[in-house]
Amino acid sequence: GLDFFYNHSNKIRQIESFKEHIEASIELNMPIIIHSRNAETETFEILNDYKGSKLKILMHCFTGSKHFAEKLLNLNAFFSASGIITFKNSYELQETFRFLPLNKILIETDSPFLAPVPNRGKKNEPAFIDHTAQKLAELKNITKSELVNLTTNNFNKLFS
């Protein structure tokens, strides 16, 4: 993916590498798991160039805008929620996940980072995913059990 937050690497090289990964994903018929930070426009423009291909997209640890999510839905993307959705100040992200269709959502730990509330600030671990699942279920107004079944089915569909 693309990360223009810290600018630790050359932007042009990041874009070239991203395209190489997309092409490998298509060739191998494997989903591409995308990290995008401070690069919504560039990420979408590049992915849109591959519209109509067999590209399977998973937006890892999605923190993008609702507008970005809407555009990515047109590319049949999936979105993974991390512990960030449990943070008190993540209202816009919570609204984006409330908006996203249930058949396009997955859940992740992003270990060792981004531990959900009530473990925020600690080293994240897979056991904490329960808190993220609970918050996502609340946002979607379904039970945690339903959410777990839906996200498992989404994972199996994406990675089949």
Side-chain angles (χ1 to χ4, degrees), residues 121-135:
K122 296 179 182 176
K123 182 179 177 183
N124 200 6
E125 58 184 71
F128 297 166
I129 200 168
D130 190 57
H131 302 292
T132 306
Q134 182 61 49
K135 181 63 177 184

PDB file of all heavy atoms in Angstrom, residues 121-135:
ATOM      1  N   GLY A 121      -3.231   1.329  24.929  1.00  0.00           N
ATOM      2  CA  GLY A 121      -1.940   1.685  25.504  1.00  0.00           C
ATOM      3  C   GLY A 121      -1.092   0.475  25.847  1.00  0.00           C
ATOM      4  O   GLY A 121       0.102   0.605  26.070  1.00  0.00           O
ATOM      5  N   LYS A 122      -1.717  -0.689  25.884  1.00  0.00           N
ATOM      6  CA  LYS A 122      -0.983  -1.925  26.141  1.00  0.00           C
ATOM      7  C   LYS A 122      -0.546  -2.535  24.815  1.00  0.00           C
ATOM      8  O   LYS A 122      -1.052  -2.169  23.758  1.00  0.00           O
ATOM      9  CB  LYS A 122      -1.862  -2.939  26.881  1.00  0.00           C
ATOM     10  CG  LYS A 122      -2.301  -2.508  28.253  1.00  0.00           C
ATOM     11  CD  LYS A 122      -3.182  -3.570  28.885  1.00  0.00           C
ATOM     12  CE  LYS A 122      -3.674  -3.125  30.250  1.00  0.00           C
ATOM     13  NZ  LYS A 122      -4.603  -4.103  30.821  1.00  0.00           N
ATOM     14  N   LYS A 123       0.347  -3.494  24.883  1.00  0.00           N
ATOM     15  CA  LYS A 123       0.723  -4.259  23.690  1.00  0.00           C
ATOM     16  C   LYS A 123      -0.501  -5.085  23.290  1.00  0.00           C
ATOM     17  O   LYS A 123      -1.042  -5.845  24.095  1.00  0.00           O
ATOM     18  CB  LYS A 123       1.917  -5.160  24.007  1.00  0.00           C
ATOM     19  CG  LYS A 123       2.404  -5.958  22.834  1.00  0.00           C
ATOM     20  CD  LYS A 123       3.604  -6.811  23.218  1.00  0.00           C
ATOM     21  CE  LYS A 123       4.042  -7.665  22.040  1.00  0.00           C
ATOM     22  NZ  LYS A 123       5.146  -8.552  22.412  1.00  0.00           N
ATOM     23  N   ASN A 124      -0.930  -4.934  22.057  1.00  0.00           N
ATOM     24  CA  ASN A 124      -2.118  -5.645  21.592  1.00  0.00           C
ATOM     25  C   ASN A 124      -1.824  -7.124  21.415  1.00  0.00           C
ATOM     26  O   ASN A 124      -0.706  -7.506  21.087  1.00  0.00           O
ATOM     27  CB  ASN A 124      -2.618  -5.047  20.278  1.00  0.00           C
ATOM     28  CG  ASN A 124      -4.069  -5.385  19.991  1.00  0.00           C
ATOM     29  OD1 ASN A 124      -4.758  -5.976  20.803  1.00  0.00           O
ATOM     30  ND2 ASN A 124      -4.530  -4.988  18.831  1.00  0.00           N
ATOM     31  N   GLU A 125      -2.824  -7.923  21.621  1.00  0.00           N
ATOM     32  CA  GLU A 125      -2.700  -9.363  21.443  1.00  0.00           C
ATOM     33  C   GLU A 125      -4.023  -9.905  20.906  1.00  0.00           C
ATOM     34  O   GLU A 125      -5.070  -9.281  21.061  1.00  0.00           O
ATOM     35  CB  GLU A 125      -2.330 -10.048  22.759  1.00  0.00           C
ATOM     36  CG  GLU A 125      -3.313  -9.814  23.882  1.00  0.00           C
ATOM     37  CD  GLU A 125      -2.861 -10.440  25.187  1.00  0.00           C
ATOM     38  OE1 GLU A 125      -1.901  -9.930  25.794  1.00  0.00           O
ATOM     39  OE2 GLU A 125      -3.471 -11.453  25.582  1.00  0.00           O
ATOM     40  N   PRO A 126      -3.986 -11.054  20.251  1.00  0.00           N
ATOM     41  CA  PRO A 126      -5.195 -11.603  19.630  1.00  0.00           C
ATOM     42  C   PRO A 126      -6.391 -11.744  20.581  1.00  0.00           C
ATOM     43  O   PRO A 126      -7.529 -11.570  20.155  1.00  0.00           O
ATOM     44  CB  PRO A 126      -4.741 -12.964  19.105  1.00  0.00           C
ATOM     45  CG  PRO A 126      -3.287 -12.756  18.797  1.00  0.00           C
ATOM     46  CD  PRO A 126      -2.790 -11.845  19.904  1.00  0.00           C
ATOM     47  N   ALA A 127      -6.148 -12.006  21.850  1.00  0.00           N
ATOM     48  CA  ALA A 127      -7.255 -12.168  22.800  1.00  0.00           C
ATOM     49  C   ALA A 127      -8.101 -10.906  22.926  1.00  0.00           C
ATOM     50  O   ALA A 127      -9.288 -10.979  23.261  1.00  0.00           O
ATOM     51  CB  ALA A 127      -6.714 -12.570  24.169  1.00  0.00           C
ATOM     52  N   PHE A 128      -7.511  -9.744  22.621  1.00  0.00           N
ATOM     53  CA  PHE A 128      -8.243  -8.488  22.758  1.00  0.00           C
ATOM     54  C   PHE A 128      -9.247  -8.260  21.638  1.00  0.00           C
ATOM     55  O   PHE A 128     -10.043  -7.323  21.698  1.00  0.00           O
ATOM     56  CB  PHE A 128      -7.266  -7.304  22.808  1.00  0.00           C
ATOM     57  CG  PHE A 128      -6.327  -7.286  23.984  1.00  0.00           C
ATOM     58  CD1 PHE A 128      -5.238  -6.438  23.977  1.00  0.00           C
ATOM     59  CD2 PHE A 128      -6.516  -8.103  25.090  1.00  0.00           C
ATOM     60  CE1 PHE A 128      -4.359  -6.390  25.045  1.00  0.00           C
ATOM     61  CE2 PHE A 128      -5.641  -8.071  26.168  1.00  0.00           C
ATOM     62  CZ  PHE A 128      -4.558  -7.209  26.142  1.00  0.00           C
ATOM     63  N   ILE A 129      -9.235  -9.098  20.622  1.00  0.00           N
ATOM     64  CA  ILE A 129     -10.138  -8.898  19.479  1.00  0.00           C
ATOM     65  C   ILE A 129     -11.608  -8.967  19.917  1.00  0.00           C
ATOM     66  O   ILE A 129     -12.479  -8.398  19.263  1.00  0.00           O
ATOM     67  CB  ILE A 129      -9.845  -9.910  18.344  1.00  0.00           C
ATOM     68  CG1 ILE A 129     -10.410  -9.394  17.019  1.00  0.00           C
ATOM     69  CG2 ILE A 129     -10.388 -11.293  18.677  1.00  0.00           C
ATOM     70  CD1 ILE A 129      -9.927 -10.149  15.805  1.00  0.00           C
ATOM     71  N   ASP A 130     -11.848  -9.614  21.035  1.00  0.00           N
ATOM     72  CA  ASP A 130     -13.206  -9.717  21.568  1.00  0.00           C
ATOM     73  C   ASP A 130     -13.806  -8.324  21.794  1.00  0.00           C
ATOM     74  O   ASP A 130     -14.978  -8.095  21.502  1.00  0.00           O
ATOM     75  CB  ASP A 130     -13.190 -10.526  22.866  1.00  0.00           C
ATOM     76  CG  ASP A 130     -14.575 -10.864  23.346  1.00  0.00           C
ATOM     77  OD1 ASP A 130     -15.331 -11.492  22.586  1.00  0.00           O
ATOM     78  OD2 ASP A 130     -14.909 -10.470  24.485  1.00  0.00           O
ATOM     79  N   HIS A 131     -13.007  -7.382  22.284  1.00  0.00           N
ATOM     80  CA  HIS A 131     -13.491  -6.016  22.527  1.00  0.00           C
ATOM     81  C   HIS A 131     -13.818  -5.301  21.222  1.00  0.00           C
ATOM     82  O   HIS A 131     -14.823  -4.593  21.129  1.00  0.00           O
ATOM     83  CB  HIS A 131     -12.446  -5.210  23.303  1.00  0.00           C
ATOM     84  CG  HIS A 131     -12.069  -5.817  24.611  1.00  0.00           C
ATOM     85  ND1 HIS A 131     -12.932  -5.898  25.682  1.00  0.00           N
ATOM     86  CD2 HIS A 131     -10.908  -6.401  25.018  1.00  0.00           C
ATOM     87  CE1 HIS A 131     -12.326  -6.492  26.696  1.00  0.00           C
ATOM     88  NE2 HIS A 131     -11.099  -6.809  26.309  1.00  0.00           N
ATOM     89  N   THR A 132     -12.991  -5.512  20.221  1.00  0.00           N
ATOM     90  CA  THR A 132     -13.234  -4.906  18.912  1.00  0.00           C
ATOM     91  C   THR A 132     -14.505  -5.491  18.296  1.00  0.00           C
ATOM     92  O   THR A 132     -15.334  -4.763  17.750  1.00  0.00           O
ATOM     93  CB  THR A 132     -12.016  -5.123  17.985  1.00  0.00           C
ATOM     94  OG1 THR A 132     -10.845  -4.635  18.642  1.00  0.00           O
ATOM     95  CG2 THR A 132     -12.193  -4.411  16.660  1.00  0.00           C
ATOM     96  N   ALA A 133     -14.659  -6.799  18.416  1.00  0.00           N
ATOM     97  CA  ALA A 133     -15.858  -7.460  17.878  1.00  0.00           C
ATOM     98  C   ALA A 133     -17.118  -6.943  18.566  1.00  0.00           C
ATOM     99  O   ALA A 133     -18.136  -6.697  17.909  1.00  0.00           O
ATOM    100  CB  ALA A 133     -15.742  -8.971  18.041  1.00  0.00           C
ATOM    101  N   GLN A 134     -17.050  -6.776  19.874  1.00  0.00           N
ATOM    102  CA  GLN A 134     -18.215  -6.281  20.610  1.00  0.00           C
ATOM    103  C   GLN A 134     -18.604  -4.884  20.151  1.00  0.00           C
ATOM    104  O   GLN A 134     -19.778  -4.604  19.922  1.00  0.00           O
ATOM    105  CB  GLN A 134     -17.945  -6.288  22.120  1.00  0.00           C
ATOM    106  CG  GLN A 134     -19.135  -5.831  22.960  1.00  0.00           C
ATOM    107  CD  GLN A 134     -20.362  -6.717  22.772  1.00  0.00           C
ATOM    108  OE1 GLN A 134     -20.275  -7.937  22.838  1.00  0.00           O
ATOM    109  NE2 GLN A 134     -21.505  -6.103  22.507  1.00  0.00           N
ATOM    110  N   LYS A 135     -17.614  -4.010  19.995  1.00  0.00           N
ATOM    111  CA  LYS A 135     -17.902  -2.645  19.563  1.00  0.00           C
ATOM    112  C   LYS A 135     -18.458  -2.629  18.142  1.00  0.00           C
ATOM    113  O   LYS A 135     -19.435  -1.916  17.852  1.00  0.00           O
ATOM    114  CB  LYS A 135     -16.634  -1.778  19.626  1.00  0.00           C
ATOM    115  CG  LYS A 135     -16.858  -0.344  19.221  1.00  0.00           C
ATOM    116  CD  LYS A 135     -17.817   0.358  20.172  1.00  0.00           C
ATOM    117  CE  LYS A 135     -17.999   1.816  19.812  1.00  0.00           C
ATOM    118  NZ  LYS A 135     -18.859   2.506  20.793  1.00  0.00           N
TER     119      LYS A 135
END
